[in-house]
Amino acid sequence: MSLETVVEDIRDEARERAKEIRNDADQRAEEIIADAEADADVIVDEADAEAEREIEREREQQLSSAKLEAKQMRLEARRDALQDVRQTVESTIADIDGDEREELTRALLDAAADEFDADADVRVYGRSDDEGLISDILDEYDGFEYAGEHDCLGGVVVESETSRVRVNNTFDSVLEDVWENELKEISARLFEEQ
């Protein structure tokens, strides 16, 4: 064997070995690419799923926020409507006059008078427009005198220093009691709730 033949055999062997290495490298590269593509598909699928979850969370949050805002607006509208009703009732009560006003004032004064001893000096306050009416009614009560104005829709505030009792029997206080006790019913009727 000549040196040239040996060199040629080594070269052929090297070429074969290089070809095998290239084939192995190409095969390994294809496997790595396939694994990378599979990993990329998994990552894309996971990212899509996370994006969908985030979209759903955002949608739920916005829906919840919108429902809360709508509920607050409804409550505000109801509160405004109830306030309008209250103001209308107060105006109607303030406009009561004549025999009906006298009858109501007398009933409230009678109820308050029961709280005082017979010998007590009692002062009675009322709406300034009702001074004459209250004074006329007080002529029937011993020890009771009109003492001045009280800011109210009508009725009386009766007090005595000797017994340290004060009775607020104004139309306002009666309305407040009725309003608090019947607010649920008023609201149900006003907004047709059952």
Side-chain angles (χ1 to χ4, degrees), residues 29-45:
E30 286 176 14
E31 289 173 4
I32 289 171
I33 289 171
D35 287 347
E37 286 176 350
D39 289 348
D41 287 344
V42 168
I43 291 169
V44 167
D45 289 345

Side-chain angles (χ1 to χ4, degrees), residues 17 40 62 64 77 85 88 92-93 97 112 116 124 137 154 161 164 181:
R17 183 72 183 125
Q62 287 179 354
S64 178
V85 168
T88 301
T92 301
I93 289 171
D97 61 357
F116 297 93
V124 180
I137 295 171
E161 279 188 28
R164 295 189 177 179
N181 293 333

Side-chain angles (χ1 to χ4, degrees), residues 15-167:
R15 283 189 199 113
E16 273 305 310
R17 183 72 183 125
K19 188 176 179 184
E20 284 177 23
I21 291 172
R22 254 194 314 270
N23 286 340
D24 286 346
D26 287 347
Q27 186 177 351
R28 181 69 185 130
E30 286 176 14
E31 289 173 4
I32 289 171
I33 289 171
D35 287 347
E37 286 176 350
D39 289 348
D41 287 344
V42 168
I43 291 169
V44 167
D45 289 345
E46 287 175 356
D48 284 347
E50 180 58 30
E52 285 298 320
R53 286 191 296 272
E54 186 61 33
I55 289 169
E56 188 59 30
R57 275 194 299 265
E58 184 68 27
R59 185 183 355 247
E60 287 297 319
Q61 189 176 24
Q62 287 179 354
L63 181 62
S64 178
S65 179
K67 285 180 179 179
L68 180 61
E69 187 176 338
K71 185 176 183 179
Q72 287 173 335
M73 290 172 68
R74 266 194 319 276
L75 288 173
E76 213 171 283
R78 285 180 173 202
R79 210 174 8 257
D80 290 347
L82 286 169
Q83 185 61 34
D84 288 347
V85 168
R86 173 82 182 244
Q87 288 173 347
T88 301
V89 169
E90 287 175 356
S91 178
T92 301
I93 289 171
D95 290 343
I96 294 173
D97 61 357
D99 291 342
E100 185 178 10
R101 186 170 203 88
E102 180 180 345
E103 183 181 322
L104 291 171
T105 303
R106 187 177 298 277
L108 291 170
L109 184 58
D110 286 344
D114 291 343
E115 300 296 321
F116 297 93
D117 296 330
D119 60 346
D121 288 329
V122 180
R123 292 188 304 262
V124 180
Y125 299 88
R127 187 173 90 152
S128 62
D129 291 350
D130 291 344
E131 180 179 354
L133 170 65
I134 294 171
S135 294
D136 288 348
I137 295 171
L138 288 178
D139 288 343
E140 302 169 20
Y141 291 85
D142 289 333
F144 283 65
E145 68 174 309
Y146 183 78
E149 179 181 339
H150 182 77
D151 185 22
C152 62
L153 301 171
V156 292
V157 173
V158 184
E159 65 183 17
S160 169
E161 279 188 28
T162 55
S163 60
R164 295 189 177 179
V165 174
R166 182 171 201 209
V167 179

